[in-house]
Amino acid sequence: SADMHDDVGSDLSKISISIDFSKHQMDATDPTFSQLDKISGYAYAARKKMDDIIWALNPENDNVANLVAYLNKYGLDYFSDTSITFRLINEIPSEFNLIFNAKQRRNIFLIVKELCTNTFKHSGATNFTITFKMNHNHLIINTYDDGKGFLNDQSALRGNGLKNIRKRASEINCTMKMESSPGQGTQYQFLFKNIDFS
């Protein structure tokens, strides 16, 4: 995974640099300019997706501290140019050294990624908060946005996003609950009963 990151990442960086150089040689009104902009965006997105995959595969990221740090960075970056304030609160005591496998880490990340997207696109919120905590040896991840909310029977309006979240949660034996109502925002709770301790 490290070799793939270095080799493919280097190639993608070269593509971006070459595109930026080419853009400097032309007028911004040139139709090719906008096409190069798109290609540069694709290269950046591919590099970011590859970084996410490598992070999920790296066994050094098995512990909860690294997971929380990565999710916090992702959320802050995602909402940095929006009107939504992102917070991640870690209430897990340091003595709880939780261990996640690659599948758990990957699915938790993708769930958070989907929730960030849904919050940005649909909620109309000004705040989005994720909280990690322990309760009777169970890990609980809560999310809350203070947006417009929706009736539970309207959840299908959010497309495949909610289906994907449910599917990813079930793949890692995680119980999911969702509560939302008009004007009251949206809350999710993810309960894990099988996280290992080192």
Side-chain angles (χ1 to χ4, degrees):
S1 63
D3 289 343
M4 184 177 75
H5 179 272
D6 293 342
D7 293 341
V8 179
S10 176
D11 289 342
L12 290 172
S13 295
K14 289 176 183 177
I15 292 172
S16 296
I17 292 171
S18 297
I19 290 172
D20 288 340
F21 179 79
S22 298
K23 286 166 60 181
H24 286 306
Q25 309 302 312
M26 64 177 62
D27 192 286
T29 59
D30 189 322
T32 308
F33 189 94
S34 62
Q35 290 299 317
L36 289 175
D37 245 356
K38 290 181 180 179
I39 296 171
S40 181
Y42 296 150
Y44 175 82
R47 175 63 186 265
K48 188 66 179 69
K49 289 177 181 178
M50 185 186 67
D51 287 345
D52 294 339
I53 293 171
I54 298 303
W55 170 81
L57 292 173
N58 188 344
E60 293 181 0
N61 296 319
D62 284 346
N63 62 76
V64 70
N66 284 344
L67 174 62
V68 167
Y70 193 83
L71 294 179
N72 186 54
K73 182 180 183 303
Y74 176 84
L76 291 173
D77 289 344
Y78 185 88
F79 291 107
S80 61
D81 294 324
T82 74
S83 59
I84 299 174
T85 298
F86 173 83
R87 288 196 309 156
L88 192 151
I89 302 170
N90 183 14
E91 298 179 352
I92 299 176
S94 58
E95 62 266 24
F96 286 90
N97 188 22
L98 306 185
I99 301 300
F100 300 89
N101 60 45
K103 185 175 182 180
Q104 289 169 329
R105 284 200 317 278
R106 177 70 174 157
N107 278 24
I108 291 172
F109 167 70
L110 290 173
I111 287 171
V112 169
K113 185 176 181 180
E114 192 70 55
L115 289 172
C116 288
T117 300
N118 283 351
T119 300
F120 175 69
K121 287 185 176 180
H122 305 293
S123 73
T126 56
N127 293 281
F128 179 55
T129 303
I130 301 176
T131 304
F132 280 69
K133 63 182 181 179
M134 297 296 298
N135 184 22
H136 301 296
N137 294 324
H138 301 320
L139 170 66
I140 299 174
I141 303 175
N142 289 321
T143 74
Y144 171 71
D145 73 65
D146 60 357
K148 58 189 177 183
F150 57 92
L151 295 172
N152 283 336
D153 60 2
Q154 294 178 323
S155 60
L157 298 177
R158 298 202 169 195
N160 291 325
L162 189 55
K163 292 180 182 178
N164 290 338
I165 291 171
R166 292 187 187 280
K167 179 176 180 293
R168 294 192 183 282
S170 67
E171 286 178 355
I172 52 177
N173 299 318
C174 168
T175 302
M176 186 195 96
K177 294 181 181 178
M178 181 192 69
E179 293 184 6
S180 186
S181 58
Q184 300 298 315
T186 303
Q187 299 182 63
Y188 287 85
Q189 181 186 87
F190 301 92
L191 175 64
F192 295 85
K193 295 184 178 181
N194 60 342
I195 301 298
D196 294 328
F197 292 82
S198 64

